[in-house]
Every structure is written in structure tokens, then in C-alpha cells.
Amino acid sequence: MTPDPDPATALAMLDWQIDLGATEAIGDTPVNRYELEDTAPRAKAAVVVDKPAVAEPAAAMMADPKVAEGQAVAIAQQMAAAAPDLISLKSEINAYEFCDLKKGARNLVFADGNPVARLMIIGEAPGREEDIEGFPFVGKAGQLLDKMLAAIDMSRRSDDPQSAVYITNVLPWRPPQNRDPSPEEMAMLLPFLQRHIELVSPEILIPMGNIACQALLGLRGITRLRGNWTKAAGLPALPMTHPAYLLRTPTAKREAWLDLQEIRARLKGQ
Ligand code: URA
């Protein structure tokens, strides 16, 4: 039998696999992680990260998983509403124990950019790079998004609200194998997204791709929805195709450019 490698060698082998593109560790025996809950004690609200602590009635419910079952959405609404600012909202999301996506994610991916921006982009979910780094849109799609924004003189790094952008996702945790979120996951995370938008209070929202449109407009069919102004979360919204789609379908870039120009004109009051 091959002896176990020493820790440094094991780490180097793991790094090498990650460089090759491995994103999941698969054991000899399949593990249903959704069933682990039955054998492992649920983390209690009390052990959760930063202050301020979770909204108190929600914390009490979370301490009793039986009370909480079936109330995941109501608890999310309560926790989201209790957040007076973005820092508290991040803490509340971090403290939310009912979404199984959290169990498989390395990091909570909350947001990036300038919270005083006039423009807020809503993406889908963190991918591998975002999960590792803890920020949205840092992989290939994110690099394209930054280029697209630069083409209309906007940036998530800008200090000037006129040219600044704020970015978040429908899901704060990476779904396994980047699968689409289930309707239950969308429903329980939506109150946090809605509160996020309320706290940033941008002038314009850009839902990017089908998942963002489904969450905010209750509609799919991005190629039909894109480029048409609508309302989402009470704000003017212009759905756009997701940059990951543009990477796969370069011919769609022409329409994305039209949408970017539309945003620029709207922000300039034209
Ligand atoms: N795609 C998204 O929708 N969001 C990210 O953060 C990264 C890729």
C-alpha cells in the first residue's frame, strides 16, 4: 500500500489538483450532505460570527430547529428587516442557518463596490473563484463585467457615486457544481437580497441573467427581457445578459453594448 504523504506533500498535491480544475473532493463512498443534518448538531445562532447578533426572536427560533422547520422564509424576513445597515445585514446572513448552500461554501460572498453607487448589479451566485476570494465577479465573467463597465466609464472601484457600481448576487453562497438554486433556496434568500437593495438604495438596478430576473421579476427568458426597462424592488431596472453567457456567445455582445449605452444615457438623464 502507498504510504500517506506528509502534510506538505499532501497540500502540494491538492494545489496541483485545484490548478487542474478540480472543484470538489469526492470520496470512495458517496456522502449525502443534505442528510448530515440528522446526525450533526445544528449550529446555534449564538456561535455565529460578528456582532450585532441576530434579531432576537429569530435567534430563539434558530435555537430550536423543529420550530424553525418550514419557517425559514419568515425567519429570513425577520433577520433581514432587523439589519439597519450593510454590516449588520452581512452578519445576519452569516448567522442564517437554514440554507444548506452555506454548508458547502468556503466563504459568504456579500458584495463588492461602492455602496453609494447609483447603479447596482445583481448577479446570480458565486462561482469557484468568488467562493475562494469572498467577493462577487472576480473570475472570467467578472473580468468581462469590469471591461463592460469601463466601456461606459464606470467601475466598482470608483469613489465617485456618478461612476461607481455596487455588485451583489442573488445567492451569497456558491451552489455545488454551480447548479441553479432551488425555488426553496431562492425564496429563503430573497428577503436578504431585497433588504440589500433597500439599504443601498440605488437609482438603477441591473438584474444580470435568468436567475436574477427570476428572483427580482419572477420571470425568466433573459434574451427577451434584456434591454427593456422594467421595475424591480420598486426601482427602474434594466435586465441584461450575464457576462458568462457573453463569454459563451460572443455574438450577444452587440446587444449588451446597446444595453450599456442605455444605462449610460439613463444615468446622464438623457
Ligand atoms: N457569476 C455571478 O453571477 N456572480 C458572481 O459573483 C460570479 C459569477
Side-chain angles (χ1 to χ4, degrees):
M1 206 170 78
T2 325
D4 282 345
D6 61 78
T9 310
L11 198 59
M13 287 163 73
L14 194 58
D15 276 343
W16 180 68
Q17 300 233 8
I18 290 170
D19 285 345
L20 288 179
T23 57
E24 308 291 331
I26 297 173
D28 292 334
T29 333
V31 179
N32 184 345
R33 294 188 190 282
Y34 290 96
E35 281 172 3
L36 291 180
E37 189 67 12
D38 296 334
T39 52
R42 182 185 284 282
K44 298 257 164 62
V47 296
V48 164
V49 292
D50 324 345
K51 293 276 171 191
V54 187
E56 274 184 23
M61 283 198 264
M62 274 208 291
D64 181 351
K66 284 211 187 76
V67 174
E69 240 168 304
Q71 299 188 9
V73 174
I75 294 172
Q77 283 164 344
Q78 201 179 336
M79 291 171 73
D85 53 39
L86 292 171
I87 293 174
S88 322
L89 183 66
K90 187 174 177 185
S91 298
E92 296 286 350
I93 299 174
N94 231 336
Y96 185 71
E97 297 295 340
F98 300 106
C99 183
D100 283 337
L101 295 177
K102 181 180 181 182
K103 293 182 192 152
R106 287 184 178 86
N107 277 303
L108 166 72
V109 176
F110 183 67
D112 196 13
N114 188 339
V116 301
R118 296 172 70 196
L119 185 70
M120 180 167 181
I121 293 177
I122 317 290
E124 176 179 334
R128 181 174 169 268
E129 283 84 1
E130 290 79 16
D131 182 43
I132 292 171
E133 293 195 28
F135 290 97
F137 283 103
V138 293
K140 284 210 173 76
Q143 287 156 23
L144 176 58
L145 176 60
D146 284 338
K147 282 189 196 152
M148 290 162 65
L149 293 169
I152 53 165
D153 302 317
M154 302 203 72
S155 161
R156 60 173 117 181
R157 299 282 156 257
S158 172
D159 291 331
D160 177 358
Q162 302 300 326
S163 51
V165 180
Y166 186 80
I167 305 176
T168 190
N169 282 312
V170 173
L171 305 182
W173 296 292
R174 182 192 181 199
Q177 272 98 31
N178 301 335
R179 65 158 169 78
D180 279 359
S182 68
E184 292 75 22
E185 288 160 351
M186 298 264 282
M188 66 176 88
L189 295 171
L190 187 60
F192 294 113
L193 177 63
Q194 286 166 333
R195 183 71 183 136
H196 206 154
I197 295 169
E198 234 170 58
L199 289 170
V200 175
S201 184
E203 280 173 43
I204 293 177
L205 274 182
I206 308 294
M208 280 195 149
N210 267 324
I211 299 295
C213 287
Q214 190 178 340
L216 292 171
L217 306 172
L219 296 170
R220 289 181 77 110
I222 188 63
T223 49
R224 195 170 27 85
L225 295 167
R226 65 137 286 277
N228 295 300
W229 285 102
T230 181
K231 277 218 152 177
L235 296 166
L238 187 73
M240 283 186 66
T241 42
H242 194 284
Y245 173 78
L246 298 176
L247 287 171
R248 295 191 302 271
T249 321
T251 49
K253 285 185 182 169
R254 200 185 70 81
E255 288 173 341
W257 172 237
L258 296 178
D259 299 343
L260 289 168
Q261 286 175 307
E262 183 62 34
I263 295 167
R264 177 161 58 185
R266 180 83 173 220
L267 288 170
K268 287 197 168 148
Q270 288 160 0

